[in-house]
Amino acid sequence: MATPAPSTTPAASSAVGDFTPEAFAAHLKTQAGAPAWWLERKRRAYARFAELPLPRRTDEAWRFSNIAGVRLDGFVGERAVPKVTQPMQHESPGAEFGGSLFFMANQHGGGVPVGAEAAKRGVIVCTLQEALRRHADLLQAHFMAQPQRLGSEKFAALHEAFLADGAFIYVPRGVELEEPIHVNHLGAPFPGVTFPHTLVIAEENSRVRVAEFFKSPGKPLVPAHFVIGANDLYAGHGAQLSYDGIQDWGRETLSLQLNSTVVRRDARVQSFNLHLGGRQSRHESLSQLQAPGAFSEMLAVTVAQGEQEFDQRTLQVHQAPNTKSDLLYKNALLDKARTIFSGLIIVDPDAQKTDAYQSNRNLMLSDEAEANSLPGLEIQANDVRCTHGATTARIDAEQEFYLKARGIPTALANQLLVFGFFEEVLERLPEEKQREGLRKLIQRKLQK
C-alpha cells in the first residue's frame, strides 16, 4: 500500500510519481497466476500511464479543477494489510440484499452468496480474481471495454495497471432479481491508495439492481487517502439495470471515480450517485446508447461542505436512432465548498429521433461557496429533441422566513429546504426503503 508524503506546497508532480516501473514489476508478481492476456493488458496499461501527461490547467476537460491537488508523488508500492478473515460489516441504505461482496484496501474480505435459486439460474457474484479463473471470456469482453473520454485517461490506465481485485456480477438472459446486490469498498486503515472496481453484466431481458458503497474506516482516522475507482455497466437487449453509488470517503481523500455504461436495444439503465465524502472528488460518467430503444437515466445528489471540491464530468452519447437519455444532477453547497459540472450530449449522424435532456441545479447556502456549470450539446443529426441547462440560486428567502416564523431554527429550516431541493431526484428511485436510507445519510452529512 501507499504512504503519502507530508503535506507541503509541492513542486510539479512527476508523470509517474512513485508508481515506477519497479513498483509495477512488484505488482505483476502478485498477479503471477493470472492469464497471459490479463498480464499483457496490464503491461499495455502501464505503458499508456507512463506516456500520458498529468492534467494541465489548459486542458478543457479539467477546467475549473484544482489541478494542484491531483498528484502521484508520495504513493509507493503495495503495503501489506492484515488478512481479512471475517466478513466486514458495512452500513448501507436498505437492509435486505440478494448477495454481497466486501473489499478492504483492494483485498476481498468475504460477503454473502446469492440465494440458491439465483445461483441455480446462473447468477454469478464473485471477485474479479475468481472470474479470471472461471469466467475469463465474459471478463475479457466487458472489462474496461470502453475507452475513457472525459479527461482521466492517465488515471484509468493507472487503475488498470495496478488493479488487484474487484467485483464481478453476471445476470443471465431472462433472469430477474428481486433484491439488490451490494458491493462494499473500504479504504485502508492507514494512509494508502485503493483501486475499487465493479463489473456488472445484465444479459438480454434480465433485471438487476446493484448498490455500491465507498467508505473510509472510522477508526483510526485516516489522514490522507488516494482512490482511483472504476465500474463497467452493461445492459443487453431489453435488460433493466439500476445502479446506486454511495461515496462517503474520509475528508482527506482524493477520489477519482470513472464510470462507463453501455445500453443496448430497448434496455433501461438508471444510475444514481450520492456524493458526500472526500477532500477533492472527481466523478466521470460516460453513457453510450448503442441501439434503438435504449434509455439511460443519470442522477446525482451532492452535499458539499467545508472546503470540499466535487468535480462532475458527464457524457451522453447517442449512437443509434430512437434513443433517450435524461440527466439530473443536484448540488447543495455550504461554507467554502466548490462544485464543477461539465456535461456534454453527443448525437451521432445516424441517431435520428434522439430525445436527450441534461440539467444541473445548484443550491447555494453560503456566499463563499462556488458552483461552476458547463452544459453542452454536439448534434450531428437533424431530427432530434435535445435540452440542456444549469441553474444556481440561494435558498428562497420567503420559504426560509415561513419556516422560521413557525419556530423552526435556521439550521433546521435550511436542512428541510435542502431535502425539498433533493426530493425531485430521490423520488425517481424505485423503492421507498432505498430513498429513506439515502435521506438518513444526507441528513447525517448536513448535521456535521
PDB file of all heavy atoms in Angstrom, residues 5-13 68 71:
ATOM      1  N   ALA A   5       3.391  11.506   1.009  1.00  0.00           N
ATOM      2  CA  ALA A   5       4.407  12.379   1.590  1.00  0.00           C
ATOM      3  C   ALA A   5       3.744  13.406   2.482  1.00  0.00           C
ATOM      4  O   ALA A   5       2.552  13.662   2.367  1.00  0.00           O
ATOM      5  CB  ALA A   5       5.184  13.066   0.466  1.00  0.00           C
ATOM      6  N   PRO A   6       4.500  14.008   3.401  1.00  0.00           N
ATOM      7  CA  PRO A   6       3.926  15.054   4.239  1.00  0.00           C
ATOM      8  C   PRO A   6       3.341  16.172   3.397  1.00  0.00           C
ATOM      9  O   PRO A   6       3.805  16.479   2.310  1.00  0.00           O
ATOM     10  CB  PRO A   6       5.130  15.541   5.061  1.00  0.00           C
ATOM     11  CG  PRO A   6       6.097  14.409   5.038  1.00  0.00           C
ATOM     12  CD  PRO A   6       5.908  13.741   3.714  1.00  0.00           C
ATOM     13  N   SER A   7       2.292  16.795   3.933  1.00  0.00           N
ATOM     14  CA  SER A   7       1.622  17.861   3.200  1.00  0.00           C
ATOM     15  C   SER A   7       2.499  19.100   3.150  1.00  0.00           C
ATOM     16  O   SER A   7       2.848  19.680   4.159  1.00  0.00           O
ATOM     17  CB  SER A   7       0.285  18.190   3.869  1.00  0.00           C
ATOM     18  OG  SER A   7      -0.343  19.250   3.211  1.00  0.00           O
ATOM     19  N   THR A   8       2.884  19.493   1.957  1.00  0.00           N
ATOM     20  CA  THR A   8       3.690  20.691   1.747  1.00  0.00           C
ATOM     21  C   THR A   8       3.182  21.394   0.515  1.00  0.00           C
ATOM     22  O   THR A   8       2.303  20.915  -0.179  1.00  0.00           O
ATOM     23  CB  THR A   8       5.172  20.329   1.537  1.00  0.00           C
ATOM     24  OG1 THR A   8       5.272  19.494   0.381  1.00  0.00           O
ATOM     25  CG2 THR A   8       5.750  19.602   2.745  1.00  0.00           C
ATOM     26  N   THR A   9       3.735  22.547   0.222  1.00  0.00           N
ATOM     27  CA  THR A   9       3.458  23.189  -1.049  1.00  0.00           C
ATOM     28  C   THR A   9       4.397  22.580  -2.066  1.00  0.00           C
ATOM     29  O   THR A   9       5.598  22.838  -2.075  1.00  0.00           O
ATOM     30  CB  THR A   9       3.679  24.701  -0.957  1.00  0.00           C
ATOM     31  OG1 THR A   9       2.836  25.207   0.072  1.00  0.00           O
ATOM     32  CG2 THR A   9       3.353  25.368  -2.265  1.00  0.00           C
ATOM     33  N   PRO A  10       3.904  21.710  -2.968  1.00  0.00           N
ATOM     34  CA  PRO A  10       4.786  20.877  -3.758  1.00  0.00           C
ATOM     35  C   PRO A  10       5.296  21.542  -5.014  1.00  0.00           C
ATOM     36  O   PRO A  10       4.716  22.475  -5.534  1.00  0.00           O
ATOM     37  CB  PRO A  10       3.878  19.694  -4.127  1.00  0.00           C
ATOM     38  CG  PRO A  10       2.523  20.306  -4.183  1.00  0.00           C
ATOM     39  CD  PRO A  10       2.506  21.425  -3.207  1.00  0.00           C
ATOM     40  N   ALA A  11       6.399  21.002  -5.484  1.00  0.00           N
ATOM     41  CA  ALA A  11       6.845  21.338  -6.827  1.00  0.00           C
ATOM     42  C   ALA A  11       6.001  20.533  -7.804  1.00  0.00           C
ATOM     43  O   ALA A  11       5.118  19.793  -7.411  1.00  0.00           O
ATOM     44  CB  ALA A  11       8.331  21.005  -6.973  1.00  0.00           C
ATOM     45  N   ALA A  12       6.275  20.688  -9.089  1.00  0.00           N
ATOM     46  CA  ALA A  12       5.494  19.976 -10.087  1.00  0.00           C
ATOM     47  C   ALA A  12       5.589  18.477  -9.868  1.00  0.00           C
ATOM     48  O   ALA A  12       6.667  17.934  -9.626  1.00  0.00           O
ATOM     49  CB  ALA A  12       6.000  20.339 -11.482  1.00  0.00           C
ATOM     50  N   SER A  13       4.451  17.800  -9.983  1.00  0.00           N
ATOM     51  CA  SER A  13       4.411  16.361  -9.778  1.00  0.00           C
ATOM     52  C   SER A  13       5.010  15.661 -10.988  1.00  0.00           C
ATOM     53  O   SER A  13       4.847  16.096 -12.127  1.00  0.00           O
ATOM     54  CB  SER A  13       2.967  15.916  -9.573  1.00  0.00           C
ATOM     55  OG  SER A  13       2.889  14.531  -9.389  1.00  0.00           O
ATOM     56  N   ALA A  68      -3.598  21.356  -8.782  1.00  0.00           N
ATOM     57  CA  ALA A  68      -2.506  21.160  -7.824  1.00  0.00           C
ATOM     58  C   ALA A  68      -2.804  20.053  -6.832  1.00  0.00           C
ATOM     59  O   ALA A  68      -1.892  19.443  -6.267  1.00  0.00           O
ATOM     60  CB  ALA A  68      -2.225  22.470  -7.082  1.00  0.00           C
ATOM     61  N   ARG A  71      -2.156  14.686  -7.533  1.00  0.00           N
ATOM     62  CA  ARG A  71      -0.737  14.372  -7.596  1.00  0.00           C
ATOM     63  C   ARG A  71      -0.508  12.870  -7.432  1.00  0.00           C
ATOM     64  O   ARG A  71      -1.324  12.166  -6.850  1.00  0.00           O
ATOM     65  CB  ARG A  71       0.013  15.123  -6.495  1.00  0.00           C
ATOM     66  CG  ARG A  71      -0.066  16.641  -6.616  1.00  0.00           C
ATOM     67  CD  ARG A  71       0.628  17.330  -5.461  1.00  0.00           C
ATOM     68  NE  ARG A  71       2.006  16.885  -5.299  1.00  0.00           N
ATOM     69  CZ  ARG A  71       3.028  17.308  -6.021  1.00  0.00           C
ATOM     70  NH1 ARG A  71       2.825  18.184  -6.987  1.00  0.00           N
ATOM     71  NH2 ARG A  71       4.246  16.874  -5.805  1.00  0.00           N
TER      72      ARG A  71
END
